[in-house]
Amino acid sequence: MSTVYKVLKASSKIACKTRILQHVLKTHERRARVKFGKRYQNFEWDNTVFTDEKRWRAVRPTNRKAFYLTARGRPTKPSIWKKSKVRLDAMMFLRGDGDCQLFILDRRLHGVDYIQYIRNHVERGSTLYQDNGSSHTTPECRQGFRDLGLEVLAAPTYSADLNPVENAWARLADYVYEKDKVYYDVDKLLAAVEKGWRRMLAEEGRTEFFWKLVKSMPKRMKEVIRRRGLKTKY
């Protein structure tokens, strides 16, 4: 991609630029985020288990899309790079005491799989923080939550900045895609994720890094209120 970009940039007739792709929060989405922040700004997060899933790919995902300009500066139709078939699904559980677990999935997560992980790794009576993904809201999941006596906190849509697991994913990605590494084989990608996880625990601390993420939750709630529902720095 960098070579194509350099060639187009050097051309006197065609220019290549990139623009950042970011969802623009609608009014009702911002209101939902503010409402969530006000409701949980004084919440005790020590007994909370934060969950999230991630799909790893051959290259590090980007929120930029390449598009081209003609000599007169008129934009052409944006070109989106095709997604690689090399992919790996994973899930992370982050507890209020800083303990964090990474699970490599052998297939795309479904509701029956998700609730089984919850039964095996989440204590009864805990608070579960999750998004409203389809695998989290199946009848099997709702029944399982009731059986375990879990209090479920469903984050508003487009609120990755309010889930500390997202920060843990981003830090792990720094290790996995170090020096813009590209993976052409799923086994090599799996090995890189596992190696990156071990390095991350060794260098960041097994619990200290994650504990700080959990302790940032009150600040996240206050920040989203202050920002009137707009994206926060997290």
Side-chain angles (χ1 to χ4, degrees):
M1 179 176 177
S2 60
T3 303
V4 175
Y5 179 83
K6 291 177 181 178
V7 171
L8 291 171
K9 187 176 182 180
S11 173
S12 59
K13 296 182 179 180
I14 302 177
C16 177
K17 295 185 178 181
T18 60
R19 64 183 179 189
I20 297 176
L21 297 178
Q22 188 173 12
H23 174 76
V24 178
L25 290 167
K26 299 179 175 60
T27 301
H28 72 276
E29 293 169 342
R30 291 176 58 184
R31 288 175 178 170
R33 284 165 55 84
V34 171
K35 182 179 180 180
F36 186 83
K38 289 181 177 179
R39 183 174 182 180
Y40 296 108
Q41 60 181 326
N42 297 317
F43 191 78
E44 294 293 336
W45 301 97
D46 295 341
N47 194 39
T48 303
V49 179
F50 301 86
T51 71
D52 194 45
E53 299 89 48
K54 179 179 176 63
R55 171 160 289 186
W56 296 90
R57 297 188 180 275
V59 296
R60 188 166 193 167
T62 176
N63 63 344
R64 292 179 179 271
K65 178 164 58 176
F67 67 99
Y68 304 97
L69 298 177
T70 63
R72 296 182 179 180
R74 296 177 181 175
T76 63
K77 184 177 180 180
S79 65
I80 304 176
W81 293 91
K82 294 183 179 180
K83 296 179 180 178
S84 170
K85 293 183 180 180
V86 176
R87 60 192 63 177
L88 181 71
D89 291 314
M91 180 167 58
M92 191 179 292
F93 284 0
L94 171 59
R95 293 176 175 79
D97 60 359
D99 181 50
C100 193
Q101 291 178 289
L102 175 69
F103 302 97
I104 303 299
L105 309 177
D106 56 4
R107 62 176 181 176
R108 194 176 185 89
L109 191 69
H110 298 286
V112 290
D113 306 317
Y114 181 66
I115 193 59
Q116 190 59 47
Y117 275 99
I118 297 297
R119 291 182 186 277
N120 293 340
H121 301 284
V122 178
E123 296 181 359
R124 288 179 174 273
S126 299
T127 300
L128 183 67
Y129 186 106
Q130 62 178 20
D131 58 32
N132 281 313
S134 58
S135 61
H136 302 170
T137 57
T138 63
E140 295 87 354
C141 287
R142 291 195 293 268
Q143 183 60 49
F145 298 154
R146 288 192 292 268
D147 294 343
L148 293 172
L150 301 179
E151 179 184 359
V152 179
L153 306 186
T157 55
Y158 298 107
S159 295
D161 56 329
L162 303 183
N163 189 344
V165 178
E166 295 288 352
N167 301 95
W169 285 132
R171 190 70 188 96
L172 179 56
D174 291 339
Y175 290 97
V176 175
Y177 299 111
E178 192 174 35
K179 298 181 180 180
D180 296 325
K181 180 70 175 179
V182 179
Y183 301 94
Y184 299 98
D185 182 86
V186 68
D187 292 331
K188 292 182 179 180
L189 177 58
L190 171 60
V193 172
E194 293 177 338
K195 180 180 179 181
W197 178 249
R198 291 192 297 270
R199 285 183 58 195
M200 181 177 170
L201 294 179
E203 296 178 15
E204 301 291 347
R206 180 164 293 275
T207 60
E208 183 179 0
F209 170 72
F210 303 109
W211 182 79
K212 289 181 178 179
L213 291 179
V214 174
K215 290 302 179 182
S216 71
M217 286 303 293
K219 294 181 180 179
R220 293 172 193 254
M221 299 298 106
K222 293 178 181 178
E223 180 72 5
V224 76
I225 297 171
R226 187 186 69 81
R227 294 272 297 161
R228 297 180 181 178
L230 293 175
K231 292 292 184 180
T232 68
K233 64 180 181 179
Y234 298 96

